[in-house]
Amino acid sequence: MIIHGFNQNGRSNINRDLKNSYLGREDFNVIIVDWSSLSSYYYGSARYRVEPAGIAVSRFLDFLNVNYTTLQVIGYDLGNGIKHLLIYKKLKTPI
């Protein structure tokens, strides 16, 4: 799973490059989270939208019945905050 950062979107070049890098090595399922509707504001506002975005991603993964112990998540900038929220909420692992 790839989660973009502040003021980017799911179609940003880094997401494409990371996805292609993974798929070039092996046949993986790659999910790119596009939370640009929440992260496109000024940084001070977007950082308060990390938790709602993380909750939405968590619900989506539950819907997919994802095994969290084998899930690899790449998050950068504010996307890293969403990644940490997922780790803490789902695995009860301190960050």
Side-chain angles (χ1 to χ4, degrees), residues 18-30:
L18 286 168
K19 173 196 60 115
N20 290 342
S21 180
Y22 265 92
L23 294 177
R25 299 193 63 161
E26 215 171 308
D27 188 20
F28 292 104
N29 293 316
V30 178

Side-chain angles (χ1 to χ4, degrees), residues 1-81:
M1 174 174 282
I2 302 167
I3 308 173
H4 68 78
F6 172 66
N7 229 9
Q8 295 190 349
N9 62 56
R11 293 172 304 284
S12 298
N13 290 340
I14 189 168
N15 296 327
R16 183 200 61 228
D17 294 344
L18 286 168
K19 173 196 60 115
N20 290 342
S21 180
Y22 265 92
L23 294 177
R25 299 193 63 161
E26 215 171 308
D27 188 20
F28 292 104
N29 293 316
V30 178
I31 298 171
I32 298 175
V33 176
D34 185 348
W35 67 293
S36 58
S37 64
L38 298 175
S39 70
S40 303
Y41 304 96
Y42 67 95
Y43 192 90
S45 177
R47 69 186 173 121
Y48 290 109
R49 293 182 171 94
V50 166
E51 186 170 1
I55 291 168
V57 171
S58 174
R59 288 180 180 156
F60 177 67
L61 293 174
D62 287 344
F63 172 77
L64 294 177
N65 199 27
V66 168
N67 179 352
Y68 284 88
T69 59
T70 61
L71 179 67
Q72 292 187 21
V73 182
I74 299 170
Y76 52 95
D77 193 39
L78 287 178
N80 195 46

